[in-house]
Amino acid sequence: MADTTDLAILVLAAGAGTRMKSAKQKTLHEIGGRSLLGHSLHAAAGLNPAHLVAVVGHQREQVAPAVEAIAAELDREVLVAVQEEQNGTGDAVAAGLAPLPDFNGTVIVTNGDVPLLRPETIQSLFEAHVAESNAVTVLSMSLDDPTGYGRIVRDGSAVTAIVEQKDAAPEQLAITEVNSGVFAFDGAILRDALGQLNSDNAQGELYITDVLSIARDAGHRVGAVVAPDPSELAGVNDRVQLAAAGRALNERVVEAAMRGGATVVDPATTWIGVNVTIGSDVIIHPNTQLWGATSIADGAEVGPDTTLTNMQVGANAHVIRVHGFDSVIGRGANIGPYTYIRPGTVVGEEGKLGGFVEAKNAQIGRGTKVPHLTYIGDATVGEYSNIGASSVFVNYDGVNKHHTTIGSHVRTGSDTMFIAPVTVGDGAYSGAGTVIKDDVPAGALVVSGGKQRNIEGWVERKRPGTAAADAAAAARDAQPTNDDK
Ligand code: UD1
Ligand code: MG
């Protein structure tokens, strides 16, 4: 392996990206839950180079902080170099070298808008560059339709120049081997050649591609490595290409999950972000999206129709038709269908949140069940308790949020209202329809509301002529009288 202590990688991200038609800088658009620039920097960092530099320019007030965030994620230094005006790729590389005035090792240049490029491919460019003692090595690719790309001009097998589409002679336009935009350079020769660039070309820009012919004319070795899979080098310039790259990346991530022992029933409708971890014998049903730092432990079953962001799902849990984020689901828990889980929720082992339940900042103990039609917010519930159907944790008084604390082995009746702040002790029961305003001691049965009163004959007297009154009259007439007995 070539020595990466003498390697600098520059990632170019100064361009305007006008075809995105976006207020957001092009390389900050995301696929697989990570920005395009994030993908490029992650791939570059995969080589563990001594120096990693992001070249920013257009909308740098957005891009520079994004680079800082990515550096924190990578837990390494990423230098930010500013290209004041976008005078071409040669000018961008010169800007990228500015923070490294004394560096003369190998310089690899990649782009912030090629998110599918794998570290292994950059590594093989680096290895070939070092092994062949080249001054310049370009990563080329062979395309059926080379339109728009710089053409690799060869003399026999030797690479002599890269000619841009706009500057190419008709016979050069027929060349199908093109420049991917990724290069390895000898640092000293690169610096020297950058000083010789001119903008005497169709676009009036300084082309990094001209370094190749300058180096060759000075008697240095130049070479090309043909990328085995050109789809890795697909650039993102507009939203159509963004979606295509997003799908290609997703195919990779979903395939990795399957190779890791997860069953993905329908890869085409399953979306998994690059920071998601998935165990073995996991089953993922159709229309499932897993984003952020979500993790799915061994044997869990997720979906269909489930979107989880930053969710930790325990082993053997079932999560069906759920929308959840920033929460923890314990081992063997059952969630769904139609459950909404909001931040700060923790469902204990073997716990349950059932149909039409919304939970927020609720810590639910082992084996506790909230099975039906309930809002549980700002609550702590102990172990093996059961919350009756259609209950509400009334946490908001219109100004402040308050907490409800419920013990273990509690049984609350259907339609119980917990008016927070309130505490219900271990083993307590509540009757159906109870409004709990005051604390309930352990082991008590709490009921509220008056004794039930039936006002006989009210409907026939007060609502005569209605269907209800007719039904009541018919029911009265059908009742057996003493005469019938
Ligand atoms: C460039 C190459 C071309 C290659 C193609 C691959 C040159 C002259 N041409 O063409 O041979 O086939 O990429 O996609 O290099 N950038 C800056 N500052 C600038 C100009 C560009 O940072 O002043 C960045 C862009 O943000 C982008 C990259 O450099 O990430 C390439 O620039 P772009 O304008 O897309 O070059 P192409 O014309 O596509
Ligand atoms: Mg381009």
Side-chain angles (χ1 to χ4, degrees), residues 10-11 17 86 108 172 187 228 237-238 244 249 252 314 390 394 400:
L10 314 184
V11 177
Q86 280 66 68
I108 288 178
Q172 291 172 327
N237 296 299
D238 60 31
L249 179 68
R252 260 190 215 173
S390 195
V394 184
N400 294 307

Side-chain angles (χ1 to χ4, degrees), residues 328-333 346-352 364-368:
V328 177
I329 294 170
R331 165 189 292 272
V346 179
V347 180
E349 279 183 38
E350 309 286 334
K352 178 182 176 73
I364 295 160
R366 172 202 302 256
T368 284

Side-chain angles (χ1 to χ4, degrees), residues 10 12 81 88-99 190-191 194 197 206 208:
L10 314 184
L12 308 188
T89 49
D91 183 55
V93 171
L97 287 177
L190 173 64
R191 273 178 212 283
L194 287 173
L197 292 180
L206 300 173
I208 190 61

Side-chain angles (χ1 to χ4, degrees), residues 204-248:
E205 291 184 347
L206 300 173
Y207 289 172
I208 190 61
T209 46
D210 287 347
V211 168
L212 197 135
S213 39
I214 292 169
R216 185 177 159 86
D217 291 348
H220 300 296
R221 283 180 62 94
V222 303
V225 169
V226 184
D229 177 10
S231 70
E232 261 187 54
L233 288 147
V236 173
N237 296 299
D238 60 31
R239 312 244 185 182
V240 176
Q241 291 172 333
L242 182 72
R247 180 161 289 286

Side-chain angles (χ1 to χ4, degrees), residues 12 14-15 83 86-89 92 111 149-150 164 179-180 207-209:
L12 308 188
Q83 185 192 20
Q86 280 66 68
N87 292 328
T89 49
N111 292 310
Y149 288 91
E164 292 305 293
N179 170 24
S180 70
Y207 289 172
I208 190 61
T209 46

Side-chain angles (χ1 to χ4, degrees), residues 6 127 146 157 178 325 388 405:
D6 208 22
E127 300 292 344
S157 65
V178 301
F325 45 108
T405 304

